[in-house]
Amino acid sequence: MVHFTAQEKAAVARVWGKVNLEEIGGETLGRLLTVYPWTQRFFDKFGNLSSTAAIMGNPRVKAHGKKVLTSFGDAIKNMDNLKEAFAHLSELHCDKLHVDPENFKLLGNMLVIVMSAHFGKEFTPEVQAAWQKLVAGVASALSHKYH
Amino acid sequence: MVLSPEDKNHVRSTWDKIGGHGAEYGAEALERMFTSFPTTKTYFPHFDVSHGSAQVKAHGKKVADALANAAGHLDDLPGALSALSDLHAHKLRVDPVNFKLLSHCLLVTLANHHPAEFTPGVHASLDKFLASVSTVLTSKYR
């Protein structure tokens, strides 16, 4: 089980308080679909993903990015218990969505990069490390129920 | 994976933008990597890896200079990186997983300092470039 120190929790919360879920969520998902185009395989019904501009401006990408990031907010409220918090979503991603867990790692790293771009100096190596630990914990929790 | 003409332009313009900050960014990327991914420190038991370390600064410059060289020879990465490729295969033997970790921290660093230029398109090109460099550096491993 992942254990977060008080400093790590504080580092995560400090940045999270300033995150605009739609903006950061949309950007994160949009960049995932742009930088790793094969991830588009899960989003055939999202309409126009034919160019970077189309992806980043696609309203369904933005809405889904917001949904995913809102879920991260739940992670932050349950940092000591990620596996239980994400049990249902884990089953969903395996049984219904059929998403390779490798994608959770890709999305997590994409979130870290987007936050680095948004928060600049504030996103110090220590803050990044706390977030890397969180995204790794979420990725692990989301793959926990796979069979 | 092939770098398109657009990818190459993105890489070159990024390196122009980096200017004289290469060494600084190289050191920062290493510090981010050591802090976020402590297993990477196993390759540097002889280093002081604390913030501001002169050894990390010097090594950051080495990494930055090698990437600048690669950026200047995008049409022949294997040729430009041949000596480094030998070094990593026969002497350093860094497990291939670690190239992804350093590449990620380089992207985090570039995004941090140049958010406006770090558009999704440029980001994609840089990710491909770093992946290509990593592939070349591990190409003689076996």
Side-chain angles (χ1 to χ4, degrees):
Chain A
M1 202 185 81
V2 190
H3 171 74
F4 294 89
T5 65
Q7 291 97 315
E8 285 166 344
K9 288 182 182 177
V12 165
R14 201 158 50 234
V15 167
W16 185 252
K18 304 178 197 178
V19 165
N20 175 315
L21 293 176
E22 182 166 353
E23 192 189 349
I24 304 262
E27 177 134 1
T28 299
L29 184 60
R31 281 179 186 257
L32 182 78
L33 299 173
T34 301
V35 177
Y36 308 117
W38 55 91
T39 58
Q40 292 170 25
R41 70 189 300 284
F42 301 108
F43 301 101
D44 278 340
K45 303 208 173 85
F46 269 34
N48 188 2
L49 299 177
S50 61
S51 69
T52 303
I55 292 170
M56 301 309 291
N58 184 311
R60 296 194 61 176
V61 170
K62 289 183 188 179
H64 197 69
K66 182 179 180 182
K67 192 174 179 180
V68 169
L69 209 60
T70 303
S71 200
F72 252 89
D74 292 336
I76 291 168
K77 293 191 195 112
N78 291 284
M79 279 166 82
D80 292 325
N81 215 348
L82 291 173
K83 286 193 164 63
E84 250 145 69
F86 282 92
H88 168 70
L89 275 174
S90 181
E91 283 167 5
L92 180 81
H93 281 76
C94 174
D95 299 331
K96 294 264 150 48
L97 304 178
H98 311 293
V99 176
D100 179 348
E102 182 61 29
N103 292 284
F104 307 141
K105 296 180 191 171
L106 293 180
L107 185 70
N109 279 334
M110 204 53 72
L111 176 60
V112 167
I113 288 174
V114 169
M115 297 217 295
S116 181
H118 274 255
F119 292 106
K121 273 198 169 58
E122 206 180 330
F123 202 71
T124 62
E126 288 72 27
V127 170
Q128 179 190 346
W131 275 91
Q132 296 287 173
K133 210 167 154 181
L134 178 65
V135 303
V138 170
S140 173
L142 276 174
S143 31
H144 188 64
K145 292 285 193 180
Y146 272 60
H147 59 96
Chain B
M1 167 174 37
V2 172
L3 294 176
S4 69
E6 193 188 12
D7 289 326
K8 291 178 186 179
N9 281 336
H10 284 160
V11 172
R12 287 182 197 118
S13 70
T14 298
W15 251 263
D16 284 342
K17 189 79 201 166
I18 286 173
H21 290 277
E24 177 199 334
Y25 295 168
E28 181 178 327
L30 286 172
E31 184 182 359
R32 286 182 181 278
M33 185 184 72
F34 291 142
T35 310
S36 280
F37 309 109
T39 53
T40 55
K41 293 188 290 185
T42 58
Y43 293 96
F44 299 90
H46 52 301
F47 262 35
D48 163 19
V49 294
S50 61
H51 179 71
S53 152
Q55 286 173 308
V56 172
K57 280 194 179 134
H59 201 69
K61 179 170 181 355
K62 264 193 203 170
V63 170
D65 288 345
L67 287 172
N69 180 44
H73 294 88
L74 294 172
D75 294 325
D76 182 24
L77 286 177
L81 295 169
S82 181
L84 275 176
S85 180
D86 288 332
L87 183 76
H88 281 78
H90 303 121
K91 188 146 176 272
L92 302 178
R93 292 170 292 184
V94 173
D95 189 284
V97 74
N98 295 285
F99 293 94
K100 284 194 184 178
L101 301 178
L102 180 58
S103 296
H104 170 68
C105 290
L106 281 161
L107 292 175
V108 170
T109 302
L110 288 173
N112 197 284
H113 290 275
H114 299 282
E117 287 80 16
F118 198 76
T119 63
V122 167
H123 176 175
S125 299
L126 289 171
D127 192 289
K128 281 173 78 174
F129 167 64
L130 292 173
S132 301
V133 168
S134 301
T135 297
V136 170
L137 289 180
T138 53
S139 62
K140 299 178 193 173
Y141 269 37
R142 56 178 168 169

